[in-house]
Amino acid sequence: MSKITRTGSNQILSSAVEYHNFVYLAGITADDLSQDVTGQTRQVVAKINALLEANGTDTTRLLQAQIWLKDIRDRDAMNKVWVEWLGDAGRPARACVQANMADPRHLVEIMITACK
């Protein structure tokens, strides 16, 4: 059987799961919920960078992104940070939708799949 590596695990989930050189990140949210969507998105992509690096990959290897916004009207502000973050790196297949968040202070959540 192939090895499955789970990191950042708690009773509910793992922050990252690696299997066959694919890295699956959990939905990542900001820690400082007092920030607006721009600030929260910056926190989220910084956390994604750290998780990707810890799993031996980076933004040039993104395959898929799922983005949930509390208010879809924040899409332009989130996209501005997204474009700055990715630069000219490969852009993943992506979905971006409005969603009810588990904590109403969360304005954005991003889930990533990447390869090594």
Side-chain angles (χ1 to χ4, degrees), residues 6-7 10 17 34 39 42 44 54-55 82 86 93 105 115:
R6 302 172 201 281
T7 56
N10 63 31
V17 176
S34 68
R42 288 189 195 289
V44 169
N55 285 277
W82 179 266
L86 284 182
R105 297 173 301 160
C115 61

Side-chain angles (χ1 to χ4, degrees), residues 10-76:
N10 63 31
Q11 291 178 324
I12 298 171
L13 57 82
S14 296
S15 296
V17 176
E18 182 184 338
Y19 179 70
H20 278 289
N21 289 323
F22 288 93
V23 177
Y24 304 89
L25 301 186
I28 306 300
T29 57
D31 293 324
D32 180 357
L33 302 181
S34 68
Q35 301 235 343
D36 65 6
V37 72
T38 297
Q40 286 194 26
T41 303
R42 288 189 195 289
Q43 289 178 61
V44 169
V45 298
K47 289 170 74 173
I48 290 170
N49 280 342
L51 285 166
L52 291 173
E53 183 178 339
N55 285 277
T57 191
D58 59 37
T59 58
T60 66
R61 309 287 291 163
L62 300 183
L63 300 173
Q64 181 181 31
Q66 297 175 45
I67 303 170
W68 296 274
L69 292 171
K70 180 179 178 178
D71 187 335
I72 199 68
R73 292 173 293 186
D74 286 336
R75 187 172 179 265
D76 288 342

Side-chain angles (χ1 to χ4, degrees), residues 74-89:
D74 286 336
R75 187 172 179 265
D76 288 342
M78 182 278 302
N79 274 335
K80 184 176 179 188
V81 175
W82 179 266
V83 169
E84 290 171 4
W85 174 59
L86 284 182
D88 290 329

